[in-house]
Structure formats: structure tokens, C-alpha cells
Amino acid sequence: MTGAAIEADHVADRALRRRTLTLALLTLTYFFSYMDRQILAILLELIKADLQLSDTQLGLLSGLAFAIFYAGLGIPVARLADRSNRRNIIAVSLAIWSAMTVVCGVAQNFVQLLLARIGVGIGEAGSSPPSHSIIADLYPVEKRASAMAIYTLGVVLGGGFGTLIGSQLAAAYGWRVAIMAIGAPGLLLAIIVRLFVVEPRRGQSEAAQVKDTSAMPTMASAFKDIWRNGAARHLVCGVTLTSLIGYALTAFGLSYLQRSLGFSITQAGLFGLVAALLGTVSGVGGGRLADWSAKRWGMHTQSWMVALLKVVALPFTLLFYLTDQPMVAVTAYGIQILFASSYLGPTFALLQGLAPLRMRAMWAAITLLVINMIGLGLGPTLIGVISDLLVPWAGKQDSLRWALVIMASITPWAIFHYWRAGVLLKRQQGEARQPAVSR
């Protein structure tokens, strides 16, 4: 064995020993990513009053302006991640978006804030694709959904604690101090990620594929592979529609509490924290349930589990937006979070399992491209436009409420795609076992 091979094995062993720390740091990075991305949600009403903005402009700041660059740059970053050091990409990206979040706090008008948000999007493009790839290399398929579920806790925890901290700081010092205080700690975390995360060997969790020396696939071939794989295609459609709804409701949900139900900014912040804690229970529990069901009945049940939980959650989602009673609304929202927030871990785990070894970061980037261009880009923007259009009919007090109801009503479409993905996954599993049976 050559010296280089011995060193490679040593690095691989060290990466495996540190995989829990690596997962924790990647989750914390995702936490800051989502916190910096979603901090505007609790601050929208203050920013609207300070800079004299419309709901459409708020929607652009929350969605399209960020998403175009965040999603568009994800593909070239994934290409880079599939051939170079993923840890370094994540650390540099974290430093960029944290600095640009701080810049948001000094913006004096819509254009300046728009440009700063674009900077945040550019930085965050380098986080998720390489993170997905690293996690897939560190955790075998039977543990991957749980690992992905822990990683995706960054979404609910980042949103929840960002909301709580942002609301308290905004109430005391204004929205500018709040947004700068949220962004600054990420600069320190970037240094920690660079120092303590060990880059794993590609395919480390799947020994049979470690020696894959095939040529680097093109972006076009990765798109074609996802499209040709029916299960992957429906999973991408399901998670995209779910994200369209989720990003839209999250972007304006806290404004709805303040505008239609009379919550103060600090009360809305506490609500956001409770939602994050319930989302954590849902995410971790859903990931473990997905791993258990896959082991007992097959991988396809993970997709069906997501569909079933969304069926249960939908009535409570609609009740949240249709009731005028604050306590009924809070209770309904808490229940729907418990059932509806466990989709990311199983979805990304299934996609990483379906992806060819050397396309993992690319498949993740393509999925995130579609999710974020349609979900993050259009979701909040559509809510803002619909809300402004409904003002003559519903009035300024309730136009946002009905815009949110319209968006939540798209959920059955997403449920169909998760059900269909499960059907096709079950069929693929049967076909994969067939040669062994025939022998």
C-alpha cells in the first residue's frame, strides 16, 4: 500500500470518528443559513412601515430576489463540490452570507436591501449541496434518513430561534440591530467549520462503490437521470410543491399573526419558537419513523409516510388561517407542524439513495434549484401579489389571510406526488430483487 493510500485511509477513519461532530456542525451551519434567510419574516411589518414598502415588495425580498441567486448558483457550486473539498466550500459560503446579512441592517431603501438580500442568496448557494453529499458519504443507507432529518432541523430551529431572538431585539432596539446581530455569529462559525470538519472519502459509507472512477457527469446528464427516474421525478415534484407552500406560509405567517390576529412582535416571536420546538420533534421523529418503516417494509414506505402525515395535517393548516380565535389558531398550527414537518429528511435521503455516487451533490443541487426557484422564489412573491390583489375584496386586514388560505389549498397536489413516488419506488425494489429470485 502506498503512502498516499495509507494517508487516505487515515483521513477516512478520522472523518468517520468525527461524523457526529461533522453532522452537528453542518446542522448548525444550516441553522444559521435558515436563520439569516428567514429573519425577515418576523421583521416584515417593521420594515414595511420604516421603508414604506408594499406586500409585493416584501414578497420579492423574502422570495424571488434571494432565490434566483441562491438556486442558480447551486448548480456550479455542486459541480465544484463533486470534484473538490466540500468542507472549504461550506466554510467560505458561510462567511459570505453572514457578512451580507449584517449589510442588510444598514440598508436605507428597497434597492439597497434587495441587493444585500441577493448577497445572502449568493453565499447560501454553497451550503446545502456539499452538506448533503458529505452526510451521504458518512452515513449508510439504513441510517441516512435519520441523519438527514437531524440536518434538516436547521430549518425549524433556525427559523424558530431566529424569530425569537429577532423579535426580542427588534422590540428593544429596532429591526436593523436585530438583523445584524443574527448575521454576525456566522463569521465565527465559518472558522470553526474549516478547522474541525474532516472531508470524508467519496462513497465512504458504501464500500462497494468507493472505487468508482467513472468520468465526472455533466449537469445535463444529471437532469436527464432525475427525469428518467420516475420515483426521483415525483419526489422532486412533491418536495417542490411542499416547499412552495411552506416558504410562502413561513414568510408571511408571522405577519398574519400580527396583522389579522393582533399578536405583538414579541408574542409572534414566542410563537415562532414553539413552532420550532414542535418542528424539531416532528423532524427527528419523522426521520426515525422513516428509517424504521424502510427497514420493516421497504424504502417506498418513507414516501407514503410523508403523504399520510400531510393528509392528517391539512385540515389543521386551513383552520389556522380561517379562525378568528387566537388560541384555536395556535393549537391548530401546533398540531399541523407535528404532522407536516417531517418531509425533508426522508425526501433527501431517498434522493441521495437513488442518485449515482458521483452525482450526489449534483442531484441535491438540482433538487434545491427547483425547490428554491419555484418554492422559495415564487411562494412568498405570490403571497405578496395575491394579498395586494385581494385588498379591494377582503380589505387590508384580511387580504393576507385569504392569500395564505389559497396557497395552503395546493397541498393535495403535493400529496399525490409523494404517493406516486412510493408506488414507483416499490416497483423498483421489486425489479431489483427479481434477478436474485430467478437464480
Side-chain angles (χ1 to χ4, degrees):
M1 182 178 290
T2 66
I6 294 173
E7 177 62 22
D9 287 342
H10 174 70
V11 172
D13 289 341
R14 190 153 55 98
L16 191 59
R17 289 196 303 270
R18 286 194 185 181
R19 74 176 183 180
T20 300
L21 175 62
T22 295
L23 180 60
L25 288 174
L26 293 179
T27 302
L28 189 59
T29 299
Y30 201 23
F31 171 92
F32 275 96
S33 168
Y34 205 79
M35 187 164 60
D36 291 358
R37 184 188 317 176
Q38 291 298 122
I39 183 62
L40 256 65
I42 191 63
L43 304 177
L44 285 182
E45 294 299 296
L46 294 178
I47 294 172
K48 180 176 183 175
D50 186 19
L51 301 183
Q52 297 297 299
L53 305 182
S54 67
D55 280 348
T56 299
Q57 288 174 311
L58 294 179
L60 287 170
L61 290 171
S62 301
L64 198 59
F66 175 93
I68 288 176
F69 293 88
Y70 173 64
L73 289 175
I75 298 295
V77 167
R79 289 283 291 171
L80 184 62
D82 276 332
R83 66 176 73 214
S84 62
N85 191 293
R86 294 162 288 184
R87 174 204 59 196
N88 294 345
I89 294 172
I90 294 167
V92 171
S93 299
L94 173 55
I96 292 172
W97 87 62
S98 299
M100 294 308 299
T101 301
V102 174
V103 172
C104 287
V106 299
Q108 299 299 311
N109 54 50
F110 173 72
V111 173
Q112 291 177 5
L113 188 54
L114 181 73
L115 292 174
R117 287 288 291 173
I118 289 172
V120 175
I122 290 171
E124 291 197 15
S127 174
S128 286
S131 294
H132 285 202
S133 180
I134 287 175
I135 292 170
D137 283 342
L138 290 176
Y139 288 87
V141 64
E142 66 272 13
K143 296 181 179 180
R144 197 169 291 154
S146 293
M148 286 290 187
I150 291 172
Y151 172 72
T152 58
L153 289 181
V155 172
V156 291
L157 291 176
F161 280 93
T163 295
L164 176 66
I165 297 169
S167 65
Q168 298 297 321
L169 289 174
Y173 304 107
W175 70 268
R176 298 181 186 279
V177 171
I179 203 167
M180 288 189 285
I182 290 293
L187 297 170
L188 175 60
L189 180 60
I191 298 172
I192 295 173
V193 168
R194 174 61 183 81
L195 292 176
F196 292 100
V197 171
V198 178
E199 175 78 1
R201 184 171 58 196
R202 296 185 190 276
Q204 186 165 323
S205 65
E206 291 140 317
Q209 301 182 50
V210 168
K211 295 182 179 179
D212 183 355
T213 57
S214 58
M216 180 63 64
T218 64
M219 184 178 70
S221 67
F223 268 108
K224 289 178 182 177
D225 279 349
I226 292 177
W227 185 256
R228 282 195 298 258
N229 189 310
R233 184 171 68 249
H234 280 284
L235 284 169
V236 172
C237 289
V239 75
T240 299
L241 288 166
T242 301
S243 298
L244 173 72
I245 299 162
Y247 277 123
L249 302 188
T250 300
F252 280 93
L254 297 175
S255 286
Y256 162 72
L257 289 174
Q258 297 171 70
R259 195 181 304 181
S260 298
L261 295 181
F263 281 48
S264 68
I265 188 170
T266 53
Q267 289 172 329
L270 289 171
F271 177 87
L273 177 61
V274 172
L277 296 176
L278 293 174
T280 300
V281 173
S282 178
V284 174
R288 294 190 178 277
L289 179 61
D291 279 336
W292 175 80
S293 67
K295 184 177 181 180
R296 186 175 179 87
W297 294 298
M299 297 297 294
H300 65 283
T301 59
Q302 294 185 338
S303 190
W304 285 349
M305 180 200 78
V306 173
L308 177 61
L309 292 177
K310 288 194 170 299
V311 169
V312 176
L314 180 57
F316 296 99
T317 305
L318 294 175
L319 178 60
F320 173 58
Y321 295 114
L322 291 173
T323 184
D324 288 319
Q325 301 299 318
M327 288 307 301
V328 174
V330 168
T331 302
Y333 193 69
I335 294 172
Q336 78 91 19
I337 286 177
L338 282 174
F339 287 104
S341 299
S342 58
Y343 69 97
L344 283 175
T347 302
F348 285 130
L350 285 170
L351 285 169
Q352 289 289 291
L354 290 169
L357 176 61
R358 300 198 63 164
M359 287 190 185
R360 278 182 167 163
M362 183 62 73
W363 272 45
I366 290 172
T367 303
L368 290 167
L369 171 68
V370 178
I371 285 175
N372 290 303
M373 289 298 289
I374 296 176
L376 178 57
L378 292 182
T381 306
L382 284 174
I383 288 290
V385 172
I386 294 170
S387 177
D388 284 340
L389 290 174
L390 290 178
V391 168
W393 172 73
K396 291 183 178 181
Q397 190 74 12
D398 281 331
S399 63
L400 179 59
R401 178 201 300 269
W402 288 105
L404 293 166
V405 169
I406 291 170
M407 186 61 67
S409 300
I410 301 173
T411 301
W413 188 5
I415 292 170
F416 163 77
H417 285 292
Y418 274 108
W419 167 79
R420 185 61 182 165
V423 171
L424 295 176
L425 282 166
K426 185 178 182 181
R427 186 178 302 167
Q428 289 178 17
Q429 291 163 12
E431 291 171 352
R433 287 193 297 266
Q434 191 61 40
V437 173
S438 65
R439 287 196 297 268

